[in-house]
Amino acid sequence: MQSLLIAVVLVLIIGIYLFQPYKVNGESMVPTLHNNERIYVSKLMHTFSYLPDYGDIVILDSRVDRPYTFKDAFLGHPVIQFIAGVEDGRTNYVKRVIGKPGDTITIKDNKVYRNGAALDEPYINGPMNYNTDEVWNVPEGSIFVLGDNRNNSLDSRKMGNIPLDHVLGIKVF
């Protein structure tokens, strides 16, 4: 019994602070990732509060309207959900980092511009059908994210900038 308890504690620590598998839900990252695909995420970025790089694929807690807490991380762990027999009701999003603190993001002529320069985005799923006069200034402690399937993605265009504490990790494979 003691060995089982130690194993569960280790799995929780690893999953909360170091490394965790996730399942992609939806088509927002096509063609890079597909619905129901399994990915593995390093949580060191979240644990040690460092910024992801441009182009990194990140996992986000979608509840950006409130602070993310240790309780959220604990209750969202698959082992805890399995033991409790319930899910915590959150949705995790998989998106690509486009903007970091201090950046200005604009979208015109169906292209994304960061600090006035058009981005070369060979990973997107065809031309984006989206234009706006809106300008997003990325504040300290936040990032700007978009899905690779720009015409079918709920991302920073609607959600706004994502607080870094809601970035749960970076896809490693």
Side-chain angles (χ1 to χ4, degrees), residues 5 10 21 26-27 30 35 40 46 51 59-62 65-66 70-71 77 85-86 90 98 130 142-143 146 170:
L5 182 60
L10 283 174
E27 305 292 330
V30 168
N35 190 38
Y40 295 88
H46 183 78
L51 277 172
I59 305 298
L60 313 169
D61 181 286
S62 65
D65 56 337
R66 64 177 190 74
F70 175 78
K71 180 180 176 185
H77 193 285
V86 296
R90 83 168 137 189
I98 301 298
Y130 186 85
S142 296
I143 59 172
L146 294 173
I170 298 171

Side-chain angles (χ1 to χ4, degrees), residues 6-160:
I6 290 170
V8 168
V9 169
L10 283 174
V11 166
L12 288 173
I13 290 170
I14 290 168
I16 291 172
Y17 295 110
L18 303 175
F19 188 75
Q20 187 172 343
Y22 284 90
K23 184 170 141 184
V24 176
N25 284 323
E27 305 292 330
S28 73
M29 286 300 289
V30 168
T32 307
L33 300 171
H34 299 278
N35 190 38
N36 294 321
E37 187 173 341
R38 294 271 179 197
I39 61 174
Y40 295 88
V41 174
S42 168
K43 299 188 104 181
L44 293 175
M45 181 243 110
H46 183 78
T47 300
F48 296 112
S49 300
Y50 64 83
L51 277 172
D53 289 327
Y54 296 119
D56 279 350
I57 295 173
V58 294
I59 305 298
L60 313 169
D61 181 286
S62 65
R63 301 170 294 184
V64 296
D65 56 337
R66 64 177 190 74
Y68 186 82
T69 65
F70 175 78
K71 180 180 176 185
D72 294 322
F74 183 78
L75 294 177
H77 193 285
V79 169
I80 297 302
Q81 291 182 2
F82 176 76
I83 291 169
V86 296
E87 292 187 26
D88 67 356
R90 83 168 137 189
T91 300
N92 292 323
Y93 293 142
V94 181
K95 304 295 175 193
R96 187 177 299 273
V97 176
I98 301 298
K100 298 192 319 189
D103 288 338
T104 298
I105 307 296
T106 56
I107 299 174
K108 57 185 175 186
D109 302 323
N110 300 317
K111 288 196 68 74
V112 177
Y113 293 80
R114 180 174 52 231
N115 303 323
L119 300 183
D120 178 30
E121 300 184 293
Y123 44 77
I124 66 171
N125 188 31
M128 175 175 48
N129 297 317
Y130 186 85
N131 285 299
T132 182
D133 292 330
E134 191 167 1
V135 174
W136 294 273
N137 294 304
V138 185
E140 278 301 314
S142 296
I143 59 172
F144 186 91
V145 297
L146 294 173
D148 289 356
N149 187 358
R150 302 285 163 79
N151 297 316
N152 186 22
S153 178
L154 175 60
D155 48 40
S156 286
R157 292 174 289 178
K158 296 284 184 208
M159 295 171 47

